[in-house]
Amino acid sequence: MAADPSARADSRSSRFRPPTAGRPWILTYHSVCERTSDPYGITVSPERLDRQLTWLRRRHYTGVSVATLLRTPVEGRRGLVGLTFDDGYSDFVHEALPVLLRHGCSATVFVLPGRLGGSNEWDRPGPHKPLLTAAGIRAAADAGMEIGSHGLRHRDLTSLAGDELRLETHRSRELLHDITGVTPEGFCYPYGSVDERVVDSVREAGYGYGCAITPGSLLGPFTLPRTHISHADRAVRLRAKDVRHRLRYRAEAAPGRLPETVTAVSGERR
């Protein structure tokens, strides 16, 4: 498929237009491979991912990156759902990507430039999983995926002092630009941990949006809510999660579109 325009964006000051409607539905995946031990529910098999995307298609949803979702006029988002993959596991390129492309989907991959080629050490005693190298990140971007920052090393940003927080937000953005040639538009908070100070650092770093899990009173364009998806999610559970999202956020204002100027010729561990 053609490269996602969001994967080629190189913005310096992306901002949202005024909110106008309910929150878009954004799904959170992590690792895609055959499951073994998985105490945190972060692994979905390629076959189950295929079935979940088939379910979305049958309900007239198309999976897209978060930047693509937010650049779409609000009235055009009805048939779109955001797909995100946290942590940047190396299995994304070989297992998730072929399934996404087969379904005509794009996605946002939130990666850790401070752990290139490393592993998910923060998830002990969960399964050991390798992370994407710089080459793997470029391969995902070249295939049309949006690359976003998940910080440098998957740390709880709310616990960090100012200089350390700036490295996780500002420096990670610079490093991803060095890897892909594209300045990331999106940021995702490790563990879903976020407060006003962290949001301010992400905004000051120049990101256009931020992804959380359940942001509560901080709900806004830099704390977009998302729905965790696990291997256990079949049709009934997916339908229930869809309905829950609509009920929870139907009265909330949605972030407006990303400006066209940034489009050049995103109990459970997170």
Side-chain angles (χ1 to χ4, degrees):
M1 64 184 287
D4 182 345
S6 67
R8 293 292 175 235
D10 193 357
S11 67
R12 293 184 176 87
S13 60
S14 299
R15 290 295 180 267
F16 290 91
R17 294 177 181 176
T20 54
R23 298 279 161 181
W25 196 26
I26 303 174
L27 308 185
T28 303
Y29 287 91
H30 291 77
S31 172
V32 178
C33 66
E34 295 303 326
R35 297 174 69 249
T36 53
S37 172
D38 187 25
Y40 301 125
I42 63 169
T43 307
V44 172
S45 73
E47 179 184 10
R48 184 56 50 82
L49 174 62
D50 181 78
R51 291 183 180 183
Q52 290 167 345
L53 295 182
T54 297
W55 181 87
L56 289 174
R57 189 175 68 247
R58 287 174 176 169
R59 296 194 65 81
H60 308 291
Y61 280 121
T62 298
V64 297
S65 71
V66 177
T68 295
L69 182 66
L70 298 181
R71 286 194 183 94
T72 302
V74 173
E75 59 273 16
R77 293 179 190 167
R78 184 177 182 85
L80 300 181
V81 58
L83 300 180
T84 63
F85 290 78
D86 288 9
D87 303 339
Y89 293 103
S90 63
D91 54 43
F92 178 84
V93 171
H94 303 292
E95 302 289 355
L97 185 56
V99 180
L100 290 167
L101 296 180
R102 188 161 63 247
H103 284 270
C105 295
S106 63
T108 301
V109 188
F110 290 112
V111 302
L112 299 159
R115 291 186 182 272
L116 297 176
S119 65
N120 58 332
E121 297 175 5
W122 63 87
D123 264 339
R124 299 294 181 264
H128 177 275
K129 292 177 176 288
L131 304 177
L132 288 167
T133 62
I137 292 173
R138 284 191 291 270
D142 289 344
M145 304 299 113
E146 178 192 10
I147 303 299
S149 174
H150 203 27
L152 281 176
R153 298 186 59 80
H154 205 286
R155 304 174 71 187
D156 179 348
L157 304 186
T158 63
S159 69
L160 301 183
D163 289 346
E164 291 179 297
L165 176 58
R166 185 178 178 84
L167 284 174
E168 293 287 333
T169 56
H170 291 63
R171 181 57 177 158
S172 65
R173 193 169 194 242
E174 295 167 356
L175 289 175
L176 288 177
H177 177 271
D178 292 344
I179 291 171
T180 65
V182 176
T183 303
E185 190 66 38
F187 189 91
C188 175
Y189 306 100
Y191 305 108
S193 299
V194 60
D195 57 23
E196 290 184 4
R197 188 175 63 98
V198 172
V199 169
D200 287 343
S201 184
V202 168
R203 183 185 295 111
E204 291 165 3
Y207 296 95
Y209 70 86
C211 281
I213 302 297
T214 51
S217 63
L218 290 176
L219 183 66
F222 287 91
T223 50
L224 298 173
R226 297 182 298 162
T227 299
H228 175 73
I229 301 297
S230 74
H231 188 82
D233 289 325
R234 296 178 174 85
V236 172
R237 286 170 59 101
L238 289 171
R239 174 59 178 161
K241 289 185 174 184
D242 186 6
V243 171
R244 182 183 65 185
H245 173 83
R246 293 173 184 274
L247 292 176
R248 179 178 291 171
Y249 296 108
R250 65 183 176 182
E252 301 291 348
R257 296 173 61 190
L258 285 175
E260 298 298 335
T261 54
V262 304
T263 305
V265 178
S266 208
E268 292 162 341
R269 302 274 285 205
R270 304 292 183 237

